[in-house]
Amino acid sequence: DGQALPGGDLAARLRFLTEADLLKSVHRANTLIDASRRENSGEHSWHLALYALVLGGYAGAGVDPGRVIRMLLLHDLVEIDTGDVPLHSAGGQAHHSAAVQAAETAAAERIFGLLPVSQAAEFLSLWREFEAVETPDAIFAKALDRCQPAIQNLRSGGAGWVEYDVTLADIEARVGPWVEQGAPEIWNWLWQELRHHFAE
Amino acid sequence: DGQALPGGDLAARLRFLTEADLLKSVHRANTLIDASRRENSGEHSWHLALYALVLGGYAGAGVDPGRVIRMLLLHDLVEIDTGDVPLHSAGGQAHHSAAVQAAETAAAERIFGLLPVSQAAEFLSLWREFEAVETPDAIFAKALDRCQPAIQNLRSGGAGWVEYDVTLADIEARVGPWVEQGAPEIWNWLWQELRHHFAE
Ligand SMILES: [Ca+2]
């Protein structure tokens, strides 16, 4: 309600939303499906939230699709400071390095820290939950975050994979377990499509 | 649950999500805040959903922020077929013309029609509600959709306004009533910022 939101808080929230605009200039390894350019992390976040809205019925028990959408809207904001670390870069090793995780945590604290304290704490907690991939909501969100770039690459003819020398076995190892855990029916579909693509 | 979602439905949903990728290539009149390029409607939709998440506390009574987010994730998909019709083009007359509205309705039926029937009907209904701007959720969603490009223009130094010869009175007429109705505190803030910008 309005009484809980004095004018100073509104200015802080709008500064955060202005900062968020920078995510539209962070580029990812995969392209748009027409291969015209690389995808940016802002439009990727929209596409993922739409995935959650459309595919919520494939989530496991106890998943709250609205909460997954909130998680996905926020999940990449840290890349404003750190950039996107491609899943398949450095032979798949860079993505989960301790250095990357420390930088992302510092970024989350800075960026969510632009907000009034209670909202900052709420968003930081949602981001940490996504990163930990332990709750049903985070497990489903992570499944979608692994599945969407694979579909972008499939539908664009695999351009993003060629650049990083990605094999079917790499995808099975780096994408498969996450999608299978969070959305097994989607993994069944994706695995068939992937095998067909790499057999060609 | 899985039984309600046979494999054919999954393929249809993924075709819809592939089609949605095209929204990332629809460009708007306003730029990113750093003025490096025009904003596209995919990343705009993400930014708006984030606005709803961050600013939900400024909504009027009876607004469901989660439903507003769903509405905003879907609201611009019709532009895949029609393109974005800038608010300030043709002296502000083009945006609500009957021809534009008929084209957008046909686009909504085609694009949401890619989905299984029950989800297609649900999304079409949410999109129609947004367009009608009569319910509390749609009134708040529309306020955000008018407010975000104005803030992009303010923060980028007004590049998008110069191109269309937009005056303070134009914004007061084309943006003001919507933001004031859906989020009066935000309009108070924005109006002060706008007056300051145009006085310089
Ligand atoms: Ca629009």
mmCIF file of all heavy atoms in Angstrom, chain B residues 6-56:
data_model
loop_
_atom_site.group_PDB
_atom_site.id
_atom_site.type_symbol
_atom_site.label_atom_id
_atom_site.label_comp_id
_atom_site.label_asym_id
_atom_site.label_seq_id
_atom_site.Cartn_x
_atom_site.Cartn_y
_atom_site.Cartn_z
ATOM 1 N N PRO B 6 -0.438 -34.508 -23.505
ATOM 2 C CA PRO B 6 0.197 -35.492 -24.390
ATOM 3 C C PRO B 6 1.290 -34.852 -25.236
ATOM 4 O O PRO B 6 1.361 -33.633 -25.378
ATOM 5 C CB PRO B 6 -0.966 -35.982 -25.253
ATOM 6 C CG PRO B 6 -1.966 -34.884 -25.207
ATOM 7 C CD PRO B 6 -1.828 -34.257 -23.848
ATOM 8 N N GLY B 7 2.150 -35.693 -25.811
ATOM 9 C CA GLY B 7 3.306 -35.223 -26.571
ATOM 10 C C GLY B 7 2.970 -34.229 -27.665
ATOM 11 O O GLY B 7 3.723 -33.293 -27.921
ATOM 12 N N GLY B 8 1.830 -34.412 -28.324
ATOM 13 C CA GLY B 8 1.455 -33.485 -29.394
ATOM 14 C C GLY B 8 1.307 -32.076 -28.873
ATOM 15 O O GLY B 8 1.678 -31.107 -29.537
ATOM 16 N N ASP B 9 0.790 -31.955 -27.661
ATOM 17 C CA ASP B 9 0.637 -30.631 -27.069
ATOM 18 C C ASP B 9 1.996 -29.997 -26.760
ATOM 19 O O ASP B 9 2.164 -28.791 -26.896
ATOM 20 C CB ASP B 9 -0.180 -30.723 -25.775
ATOM 21 C CG ASP B 9 -1.676 -30.795 -26.064
ATOM 22 O OD1 ASP B 9 -2.035 -30.892 -27.252
ATOM 23 O OD2 ASP B 9 -2.460 -30.753 -25.107
ATOM 24 N N LEU B 10 2.954 -30.792 -26.322
ATOM 25 C CA LEU B 10 4.281 -30.240 -26.049
ATOM 26 C C LEU B 10 4.892 -29.674 -27.326
ATOM 27 O O LEU B 10 5.433 -28.568 -27.326
ATOM 28 C CB LEU B 10 5.199 -31.306 -25.439
ATOM 29 C CG LEU B 10 6.641 -30.861 -25.178
ATOM 30 C CD1 LEU B 10 6.694 -29.636 -24.264
ATOM 31 C CD2 LEU B 10 7.464 -32.006 -24.580
ATOM 32 N N ALA B 11 4.782 -30.413 -28.421
ATOM 33 C CA ALA B 11 5.337 -29.927 -29.690
ATOM 34 C C ALA B 11 4.672 -28.607 -30.095
ATOM 35 O O ALA B 11 5.343 -27.681 -30.564
ATOM 36 C CB ALA B 11 5.165 -30.988 -30.778
ATOM 37 N N ALA B 12 3.364 -28.496 -29.897
ATOM 38 C CA ALA B 12 2.654 -27.255 -30.240
ATOM 39 C C ALA B 12 3.154 -26.101 -29.375
ATOM 40 O O ALA B 12 3.405 -25.000 -29.867
ATOM 41 C CB ALA B 12 1.149 -27.442 -30.056
ATOM 42 N N ARG B 13 3.319 -26.358 -28.093
ATOM 43 C CA ARG B 13 3.791 -25.300 -27.189
ATOM 44 C C ARG B 13 5.204 -24.848 -27.571
ATOM 45 O O ARG B 13 5.531 -23.669 -27.498
ATOM 46 C CB ARG B 13 3.755 -25.791 -25.744
ATOM 47 C CG ARG B 13 2.335 -25.930 -25.197
ATOM 48 C CD ARG B 13 2.328 -26.332 -23.729
ATOM 49 N NE ARG B 13 0.995 -26.216 -23.160
ATOM 50 C CZ ARG B 13 0.073 -27.176 -23.150
ATOM 51 N NH1 ARG B 13 0.339 -28.356 -23.683
ATOM 52 N NH2 ARG B 13 -1.125 -26.964 -22.626
ATOM 53 N N LEU B 14 6.038 -25.799 -27.966
ATOM 54 C CA LEU B 14 7.411 -25.420 -28.336
ATOM 55 C C LEU B 14 7.433 -24.695 -29.681
ATOM 56 O O LEU B 14 8.278 -23.824 -29.895
ATOM 57 C CB LEU B 14 8.320 -26.644 -28.307
ATOM 58 C CG LEU B 14 8.546 -27.191 -26.879
ATOM 59 C CD1 LEU B 14 9.220 -28.561 -26.917
ATOM 60 C CD2 LEU B 14 9.357 -26.230 -26.015
ATOM 61 N N ARG B 15 6.495 -25.016 -30.570
ATOM 62 C CA ARG B 15 6.395 -24.237 -31.827
ATOM 63 C C ARG B 15 6.015 -22.791 -31.518
ATOM 64 O O ARG B 15 6.550 -21.849 -32.108
ATOM 65 C CB ARG B 15 5.355 -24.855 -32.776
ATOM 66 C CG ARG B 15 5.938 -25.864 -33.751
ATOM 67 C CD ARG B 15 5.013 -26.130 -34.943
ATOM 68 N NE ARG B 15 3.679 -26.593 -34.546
ATOM 69 C CZ ARG B 15 3.391 -27.868 -34.223
ATOM 70 N NH1 ARG B 15 4.309 -28.804 -34.265
ATOM 71 N NH2 ARG B 15 2.172 -28.183 -33.874
ATOM 72 N N PHE B 16 5.073 -22.603 -30.598
ATOM 73 C CA PHE B 16 4.693 -21.246 -30.172
ATOM 74 C C PHE B 16 5.909 -20.511 -29.602
ATOM 75 O O PHE B 16 6.154 -19.342 -29.924
ATOM 76 C CB PHE B 16 3.575 -21.337 -29.132
ATOM 77 C CG PHE B 16 3.283 -20.041 -28.414
ATOM 78 C CD1 PHE B 16 2.459 -19.081 -28.983
ATOM 79 C CD2 PHE B 16 3.841 -19.784 -27.162
ATOM 80 C CE1 PHE B 16 2.203 -17.885 -28.321
ATOM 81 C CE2 PHE B 16 3.587 -18.591 -26.488
ATOM 82 C CZ PHE B 16 2.765 -17.636 -27.072
ATOM 83 N N LEU B 17 6.685 -21.188 -28.758
ATOM 84 C CA LEU B 17 7.848 -20.543 -28.135
ATOM 85 C C LEU B 17 8.930 -20.223 -29.172
ATOM 86 O O LEU B 17 9.678 -19.255 -29.015
ATOM 87 C CB LEU B 17 8.396 -21.418 -27.005
ATOM 88 C CG LEU B 17 7.491 -21.454 -25.761
ATOM 89 C CD1 LEU B 17 7.903 -22.579 -24.819
ATOM 90 C CD2 LEU B 17 7.505 -20.103 -25.030
ATOM 91 N N THR B 18 9.007 -21.031 -30.219
ATOM 92 C CA THR B 18 9.934 -20.735 -31.319
ATOM 93 C C THR B 18 9.440 -19.518 -32.105
ATOM 94 O O THR B 18 10.222 -18.623 -32.443
ATOM 95 C CB THR B 18 10.078 -21.979 -32.225
ATOM 96 O OG1 THR B 18 10.759 -22.993 -31.479
ATOM 97 C CG2 THR B 18 10.864 -21.673 -33.482
ATOM 98 N N GLU B 19 8.166 -19.455 -32.369
ATOM 99 C CA GLU B 19 7.585 -18.296 -33.075
ATOM 100 C C GLU B 19 7.822 -17.020 -32.263
ATOM 101 O O GLU B 19 8.143 -15.958 -32.816
ATOM 102 C CB GLU B 19 6.083 -18.521 -33.275
ATOM 103 C CG GLU B 19 5.356 -17.436 -34.068
ATOM 104 C CD GLU B 19 5.587 -17.539 -35.570
ATOM 105 O OE1 GLU B 19 6.208 -18.526 -36.017
ATOM 106 O OE2 GLU B 19 5.168 -16.610 -36.294
ATOM 107 N N ALA B 20 7.687 -17.116 -30.928
ATOM 108 C CA ALA B 20 7.844 -15.950 -30.058
ATOM 109 C C ALA B 20 9.223 -15.311 -30.202
ATOM 110 O O ALA B 20 9.388 -14.106 -29.993
ATOM 111 C CB ALA B 20 7.599 -16.350 -28.601
ATOM 112 N N ASP B 21 10.217 -16.103 -30.571
ATOM 113 C CA ASP B 21 11.580 -15.588 -30.761
ATOM 114 C C ASP B 21 11.602 -14.388 -31.714
ATOM 115 O O ASP B 21 12.464 -13.513 -31.599
ATOM 116 C CB ASP B 21 12.473 -16.713 -31.301
ATOM 117 C CG ASP B 21 13.957 -16.375 -31.238
ATOM 118 O OD1 ASP B 21 14.479 -16.194 -30.119
ATOM 119 O OD2 ASP B 21 14.591 -16.281 -32.304
ATOM 120 N N LEU B 22 10.667 -14.350 -32.649
ATOM 121 C CA LEU B 22 10.637 -13.269 -33.645
ATOM 122 C C LEU B 22 10.366 -11.901 -33.025
ATOM 123 O O LEU B 22 10.673 -10.871 -33.627
ATOM 124 C CB LEU B 22 9.578 -13.572 -34.719
ATOM 125 C CG LEU B 22 9.892 -14.789 -35.602
ATOM 126 C CD1 LEU B 22 8.668 -15.180 -36.418
ATOM 127 C CD2 LEU B 22 11.077 -14.478 -36.530
ATOM 128 N N LEU B 23 9.796 -11.866 -31.812
ATOM 129 C CA LEU B 23 9.515 -10.570 -31.176
ATOM 130 C C LEU B 23 10.809 -9.811 -30.860
ATOM 131 O O LEU B 23 10.813 -8.588 -30.729
ATOM 132 C CB LEU B 23 8.677 -10.768 -29.905
ATOM 133 C CG LEU B 23 8.037 -9.502 -29.318
ATOM 134 C CD1 LEU B 23 7.088 -8.843 -30.315
ATOM 135 C CD2 LEU B 23 7.308 -9.796 -28.011
ATOM 136 N N LYS B 24 11.918 -10.553 -30.768
ATOM 137 C CA LYS B 24 13.218 -9.931 -30.494
ATOM 138 C C LYS B 24 13.737 -9.138 -31.697
ATOM 139 O O LYS B 24 14.722 -8.408 -31.577
ATOM 140 C CB LYS B 24 14.239 -11.008 -30.098
ATOM 141 C CG LYS B 24 13.827 -11.827 -28.888
ATOM 142 C CD LYS B 24 14.704 -13.076 -28.727
ATOM 143 C CE LYS B 24 14.143 -14.014 -27.664
ATOM 144 N NZ LYS B 24 14.829 -15.347 -27.678
ATOM 145 N N SER B 25 13.091 -9.294 -32.844
ATOM 146 C CA SER B 25 13.492 -8.548 -34.040
ATOM 147 C C SER B 25 12.505 -7.450 -34.411
ATOM 148 O O SER B 25 12.616 -6.841 -35.479
ATOM 149 C CB SER B 25 13.664 -9.514 -35.217
ATOM 150 O OG SER B 25 14.667 -10.472 -34.919
ATOM 151 N N VAL B 26 11.526 -7.187 -33.547
ATOM 152 C CA VAL B 26 10.584 -6.075 -33.757
ATOM 153 C C VAL B 26 11.121 -4.865 -32.994
ATOM 154 O O VAL B 26 11.320 -4.946 -31.778
ATOM 155 C CB VAL B 26 9.179 -6.437 -33.249
ATOM 156 C CG1 VAL B 26 8.247 -5.221 -33.318
ATOM 157 C CG2 VAL B 26 8.605 -7.611 -34.042
ATOM 158 N N HIS B 27 11.342 -3.770 -33.683
ATOM 159 C CA HIS B 27 11.959 -2.616 -33.024
ATOM 160 C C HIS B 27 10.968 -1.514 -32.722
ATOM 161 O O HIS B 27 9.993 -1.319 -33.430
ATOM 162 C CB HIS B 27 13.158 -2.137 -33.841
ATOM 163 C CG HIS B 27 14.311 -3.086 -33.689
ATOM 164 N ND1 HIS B 27 14.469 -4.172 -34.510
ATOM 165 C CD2 HIS B 27 15.279 -3.165 -32.737
ATOM 166 C CE1 HIS B 27 15.522 -4.877 -34.089
ATOM 167 N NE2 HIS B 27 16.025 -4.294 -33.015
ATOM 168 N N ARG B 28 11.230 -0.828 -31.617
ATOM 169 C CA ARG B 28 10.361 0.199 -31.092
ATOM 170 C C ARG B 28 10.928 1.589 -31.374
ATOM 171 O O ARG B 28 12.068 1.719 -31.773
ATOM 172 C CB ARG B 28 10.209 -0.014 -29.585
ATOM 173 C CG ARG B 28 9.576 -1.353 -29.234
ATOM 174 C CD ARG B 28 9.651 -1.675 -27.751
ATOM 175 N NE ARG B 28 9.347 -0.525 -26.924
ATOM 176 C CZ ARG B 28 8.126 -0.084 -26.638
ATOM 177 N NH1 ARG B 28 7.075 -0.725 -27.097
ATOM 178 N NH2 ARG B 28 7.945 0.983 -25.889
ATOM 179 N N ALA B 29 10.126 2.610 -31.103
ATOM 180 C CA ALA B 29 10.583 3.988 -31.344
ATOM 181 C C ALA B 29 11.652 4.402 -30.341
ATOM 182 O O ALA B 29 12.589 5.123 -30.694
ATOM 183 C CB ALA B 29 9.390 4.947 -31.272
ATOM 184 N N ASN B 30 11.532 3.954 -29.099
ATOM 185 C CA ASN B 30 12.518 4.404 -28.098
ATOM 186 C C ASN B 30 13.786 3.556 -28.159
ATOM 187 O O ASN B 30 13.787 2.435 -28.690
ATOM 188 C CB ASN B 30 11.913 4.401 -26.691
ATOM 189 C CG ASN B 30 11.496 3.038 -26.218
ATOM 190 O OD1 ASN B 30 10.362 2.618 -26.456
ATOM 191 N ND2 ASN B 30 12.394 2.303 -25.583
ATOM 192 N N THR B 31 14.842 4.113 -27.600
ATOM 193 C CA THR B 31 16.142 3.438 -27.609
ATOM 194 C C THR B 31 16.409 2.815 -26.234
ATOM 195 O O THR B 31 15.637 2.994 -25.287
ATOM 196 C CB THR B 31 17.270 4.445 -27.896
ATOM 197 O OG1 THR B 31 17.311 5.406 -26.827
ATOM 198 C CG2 THR B 31 17.051 5.170 -29.221
ATOM 199 N N LEU B 32 17.529 2.104 -26.133
ATOM 200 C CA LEU B 32 18.074 1.766 -24.824
ATOM 201 C C LEU B 32 18.485 3.079 -24.140
ATOM 202 O O LEU B 32 18.648 4.110 -24.791
ATOM 203 C CB LEU B 32 19.302 0.854 -24.954
ATOM 204 C CG LEU B 32 19.111 -0.478 -25.675
ATOM 205 C CD1 LEU B 32 20.358 -1.364 -25.461
ATOM 206 C CD2 LEU B 32 17.864 -1.200 -25.221
ATOM 207 N N ILE B 33 18.704 3.013 -22.837
ATOM 208 C CA ILE B 33 19.030 4.234 -22.098
ATOM 209 C C ILE B 33 20.377 4.809 -22.527
ATOM 210 O O ILE B 33 20.569 6.028 -22.528
ATOM 211 C CB ILE B 33 18.953 3.957 -20.579
ATOM 212 C CG1 ILE B 33 17.465 3.827 -20.190
ATOM 213 C CG2 ILE B 33 19.624 5.076 -19.774
ATOM 214 C CD1 ILE B 33 17.207 3.394 -18.755
ATOM 215 N N ASP B 34 21.302 3.946 -22.965
ATOM 216 C CA ASP B 34 22.590 4.486 -23.451
ATOM 217 C C ASP B 34 22.495 4.967 -24.896
ATOM 218 O O ASP B 34 23.509 5.359 -25.483
ATOM 219 C CB ASP B 34 23.709 3.455 -23.268
ATOM 220 C CG ASP B 34 23.538 2.227 -24.176
ATOM 221 O OD1 ASP B 34 22.626 2.214 -25.032
ATOM 222 O OD2 ASP B 34 24.327 1.269 -24.018
ATOM 223 N N ALA B 35 21.297 4.933 -25.469
ATOM 224 C CA ALA B 35 21.029 5.423 -26.828
ATOM 225 C C ALA B 35 21.822 4.684 -27.909
ATOM 226 O O ALA B 35 21.933 5.151 -29.037
ATOM 227 C CB ALA B 35 21.250 6.939 -26.936
ATOM 228 N N SER B 36 22.360 3.499 -27.588
ATOM 229 C CA SER B 36 23.190 2.763 -28.549
ATOM 230 C C SER B 36 22.374 2.174 -29.700
ATOM 231 O O SER B 36 22.904 1.944 -30.786
ATOM 232 C CB SER B 36 23.957 1.649 -27.834
ATOM 233 O OG SER B 36 23.060 0.787 -27.161
ATOM 234 N N ARG B 37 21.114 1.888 -29.464
ATOM 235 C CA ARG B 37 20.255 1.310 -30.518
ATOM 236 C C ARG B 37 18.809 1.373 -30.046
ATOM 237 O O ARG B 37 18.533 1.649 -28.883
ATOM 238 C CB ARG B 37 20.649 -0.146 -30.807
ATOM 239 C CG ARG B 37 20.484 -1.069 -29.609
ATOM 240 C CD ARG B 37 20.640 -2.538 -30.012
ATOM 241 N NE ARG B 37 20.653 -3.411 -28.855
ATOM 242 C CZ ARG B 37 19.571 -3.831 -28.202
ATOM 243 N NH1 ARG B 37 18.356 -3.458 -28.592
ATOM 244 N NH2 ARG B 37 19.668 -4.621 -27.155
ATOM 245 N N ARG B 38 17.879 1.077 -30.966
ATOM 246 C CA ARG B 38 16.465 1.002 -30.587
ATOM 247 C C ARG B 38 16.225 -0.227 -29.714
ATOM 248 O O ARG B 38 16.882 -1.256 -29.878
ATOM 249 C CB ARG B 38 15.585 0.884 -31.834
ATOM 250 C CG ARG B 38 15.503 2.172 -32.617
ATOM 251 C CD ARG B 38 14.485 2.050 -33.741
ATOM 252 N NE ARG B 38 14.610 3.170 -34.645
ATOM 253 C CZ ARG B 38 13.998 4.339 -34.476
ATOM 254 N NH1 ARG B 38 13.190 4.529 -33.447
ATOM 255 N NH2 ARG B 38 14.180 5.315 -35.343
ATOM 256 N N GLU B 39 15.257 -0.117 -28.842
ATOM 257 C CA GLU B 39 14.831 -1.250 -28.018
ATOM 258 C C GLU B 39 13.967 -2.195 -28.861
ATOM 259 O O GLU B 39 13.215 -1.738 -29.727
ATOM 260 C CB GLU B 39 13.995 -0.707 -26.849
ATOM 261 C CG GLU B 39 13.634 -1.728 -25.801
ATOM 262 C CD GLU B 39 12.727 -1.148 -24.710
ATOM 263 O OE1 GLU B 39 11.821 -0.349 -25.036
ATOM 264 O OE2 GLU B 39 12.940 -1.482 -23.531
ATOM 265 N N ASN B 40 14.084 -3.504 -28.624
ATOM 266 C CA ASN B 40 13.155 -4.413 -29.304
ATOM 267 C C ASN B 40 12.029 -4.836 -28.355
ATOM 268 O O ASN B 40 12.126 -4.666 -27.136
ATOM 269 C CB ASN B 40 13.901 -5.617 -29.922
ATOM 270 C CG ASN B 40 14.377 -6.626 -28.897
ATOM 271 O OD1 ASN B 40 13.573 -7.191 -28.153
ATOM 272 N ND2 ASN B 40 15.697 -6.852 -28.850
ATOM 273 N N SER B 41 10.964 -5.372 -28.945
ATOM 274 C CA SER B 41 9.752 -5.635 -28.158
ATOM 275 C C SER B 41 9.890 -6.837 -27.234
ATOM 276 O O SER B 41 9.130 -6.956 -26.261
ATOM 277 C CB SER B 41 8.559 -5.823 -29.095
ATOM 278 O OG SER B 41 8.272 -4.597 -29.740
ATOM 279 N N GLY B 42 10.860 -7.720 -27.486
ATOM 280 C CA GLY B 42 11.103 -8.837 -26.572
ATOM 281 C C GLY B 42 11.722 -8.357 -25.264
ATOM 282 O O GLY B 42 11.213 -8.640 -24.178
ATOM 283 N N GLU B 43 12.804 -7.604 -25.382
ATOM 284 C CA GLU B 43 13.467 -7.094 -24.173
ATOM 285 C C GLU B 43 12.591 -6.060 -23.463
ATOM 286 O O GLU B 43 12.624 -5.961 -22.231
ATOM 287 C CB GLU B 43 14.851 -6.530 -24.510
ATOM 288 C CG GLU B 43 14.841 -5.350 -25.445
ATOM 289 C CD GLU B 43 16.169 -5.103 -26.161
ATOM 290 O OE1 GLU B 43 17.122 -5.892 -26.016
ATOM 291 O OE2 GLU B 43 16.241 -4.083 -26.907
ATOM 292 N N HIS B 44 11.811 -5.295 -24.230
ATOM 293 C CA HIS B 44 10.819 -4.373 -23.635
ATOM 294 C C HIS B 44 9.829 -5.149 -22.765
ATOM 295 O O HIS B 44 9.474 -4.714 -21.660
ATOM 296 C CB HIS B 44 10.097 -3.623 -24.759
ATOM 297 C CG HIS B 44 8.784 -2.982 -24.393
ATOM 298 N ND1 HIS B 44 8.689 -1.838 -23.637
ATOM 299 C CD2 HIS B 44 7.507 -3.334 -24.690
ATOM 300 C CE1 HIS B 44 7.410 -1.510 -23.481
ATOM 301 N NE2 HIS B 44 6.674 -2.398 -24.109
ATOM 302 N N SER B 45 9.388 -6.303 -23.242
ATOM 303 C CA SER B 45 8.420 -7.112 -22.489
ATOM 304 C C SER B 45 9.036 -7.625 -21.187
ATOM 305 O O SER B 45 8.362 -7.697 -20.151
ATOM 306 C CB SER B 45 7.936 -8.291 -23.338
ATOM 307 O OG SER B 45 7.259 -7.820 -24.493
ATOM 308 N N TRP B 46 10.320 -7.999 -21.234
ATOM 309 C CA TRP B 46 11.017 -8.396 -20.003
ATOM 310 C C TRP B 46 11.082 -7.218 -19.031
ATOM 311 O O TRP B 46 10.778 -7.350 -17.839
ATOM 312 C CB TRP B 46 12.447 -8.884 -20.316
ATOM 313 C CG TRP B 46 13.301 -8.933 -19.092
ATOM 314 C CD1 TRP B 46 13.195 -9.826 -18.060
ATOM 315 C CD2 TRP B 46 14.349 -8.017 -18.734
ATOM 316 N NE1 TRP B 46 14.133 -9.524 -17.090
ATOM 317 C CE2 TRP B 46 14.846 -8.430 -17.471
ATOM 318 C CE3 TRP B 46 14.915 -6.909 -19.357
ATOM 319 C CZ2 TRP B 46 15.889 -7.746 -16.832
ATOM 320 C CZ3 TRP B 46 15.953 -6.237 -18.726
ATOM 321 C CH2 TRP B 46 16.417 -6.658 -17.472
ATOM 322 N N HIS B 47 11.481 -6.052 -19.560
ATOM 323 C CA HIS B 47 11.646 -4.884 -18.696
ATOM 324 C C HIS B 47 10.311 -4.533 -18.033
ATOM 325 O O HIS B 47 10.247 -4.237 -16.831
ATOM 326 C CB HIS B 47 12.184 -3.720 -19.529
ATOM 327 C CG HIS B 47 13.014 -2.740 -18.742
ATOM 328 N ND1 HIS B 47 13.660 -1.681 -19.325
ATOM 329 C CD2 HIS B 47 13.305 -2.649 -17.419
ATOM 330 C CE1 HIS B 47 14.307 -0.986 -18.387
ATOM 331 N NE2 HIS B 47 14.109 -1.556 -17.229
ATOM 332 N N LEU B 48 9.230 -4.609 -18.795
ATOM 333 C CA LEU B 48 7.902 -4.305 -18.246
ATOM 334 C C LEU B 48 7.484 -5.302 -17.175
ATOM 335 O O LEU B 48 6.899 -4.920 -16.155
ATOM 336 C CB LEU B 48 6.862 -4.343 -19.360
ATOM 337 C CG LEU B 48 6.641 -3.072 -20.126
ATOM 338 C CD1 LEU B 48 5.472 -3.273 -21.069
ATOM 339 C CD2 LEU B 48 6.378 -1.906 -19.187
ATOM 340 N N ALA B 49 7.751 -6.581 -17.387
ATOM 341 C CA ALA B 49 7.419 -7.583 -16.371
ATOM 342 C C ALA B 49 8.217 -7.306 -15.096
ATOM 343 O O ALA B 49 7.705 -7.449 -13.978
ATOM 344 C CB ALA B 49 7.697 -8.995 -16.902
ATOM 345 N N LEU B 50 9.464 -6.865 -15.268
ATOM 346 C CA LEU B 50 10.284 -6.492 -14.107
ATOM 347 C C LEU B 50 9.721 -5.240 -13.431
ATOM 348 O O LEU B 50 9.706 -5.144 -12.199
ATOM 349 C CB LEU B 50 11.727 -6.267 -14.577
ATOM 350 C CG LEU B 50 12.811 -6.172 -13.502
ATOM 351 C CD1 LEU B 50 12.942 -7.484 -12.722
ATOM 352 C CD2 LEU B 50 14.168 -5.813 -14.144
ATOM 353 N N TYR B 51 9.241 -4.279 -14.218
ATOM 354 C CA TYR B 51 8.547 -3.118 -13.640
ATOM 355 C C TYR B 51 7.387 -3.585 -12.755
ATOM 356 O O TYR B 51 7.207 -3.084 -11.640
ATOM 357 C CB TYR B 51 7.990 -2.215 -14.748
ATOM 358 C CG TYR B 51 8.865 -1.048 -15.170
ATOM 359 C CD1 TYR B 51 10.077 -1.251 -15.824
ATOM 360 C CD2 TYR B 51 8.474 0.271 -14.933
ATOM 361 C CE1 TYR B 51 10.872 -0.184 -16.223
ATOM 362 C CE2 TYR B 51 9.261 1.348 -15.328
ATOM 363 C CZ TYR B 51 10.458 1.122 -15.976
ATOM 364 O OH TYR B 51 11.234 2.178 -16.367
ATOM 365 N N ALA B 52 6.598 -4.523 -13.264
ATOM 366 C CA ALA B 52 5.430 -5.000 -12.494
ATOM 367 C C ALA B 52 5.873 -5.683 -11.209
ATOM 368 O O ALA B 52 5.249 -5.520 -10.153
ATOM 369 C CB ALA B 52 4.593 -5.949 -13.351
ATOM 370 N N LEU B 53 6.969 -6.443 -11.298
ATOM 371 C CA LEU B 53 7.478 -7.141 -10.112
ATOM 372 C C LEU B 53 7.981 -6.141 -9.066
ATOM 373 O O LEU B 53 7.711 -6.272 -7.874
ATOM 374 C CB LEU B 53 8.604 -8.099 -10.553
ATOM 375 C CG LEU B 53 9.331 -8.897 -9.476
ATOM 376 C CD1 LEU B 53 8.361 -9.713 -8.638
ATOM 377 C CD2 LEU B 53 10.369 -9.827 -10.132
ATOM 378 N N VAL B 54 8.687 -5.119 -9.520
ATOM 379 C CA VAL B 54 9.306 -4.152 -8.599
ATOM 380 C C VAL B 54 8.286 -3.139 -8.071
ATOM 381 O O VAL B 54 8.370 -2.702 -6.923
ATOM 382 C CB VAL B 54 10.471 -3.424 -9.321
ATOM 383 C CG1 VAL B 54 10.984 -2.247 -8.511
ATOM 384 C CG2 VAL B 54 11.605 -4.409 -9.614
ATOM 385 N N LEU B 55 7.334 -2.764 -8.912
ATOM 386 C CA LEU B 55 6.420 -1.656 -8.589
ATOM 387 C C LEU B 55 5.008 -2.125 -8.238
ATOM 388 O O LEU B 55 4.095 -1.297 -8.130
ATOM 389 C CB LEU B 55 6.361 -0.671 -9.766
ATOM 390 C CG LEU B 55 7.703 -0.029 -10.164
ATOM 391 C CD1 LEU B 55 7.532 0.817 -11.426
ATOM 392 C CD2 LEU B 55 8.270 0.824 -9.028
ATOM 393 N N GLY B 56 4.835 -3.425 -8.032
ATOM 394 C CA GLY B 56 3.506 -3.963 -7.722
ATOM 395 C C GLY B 56 2.829 -3.271 -6.539
ATOM 396 O O GLY B 56 1.606 -3.149 -6.504
#
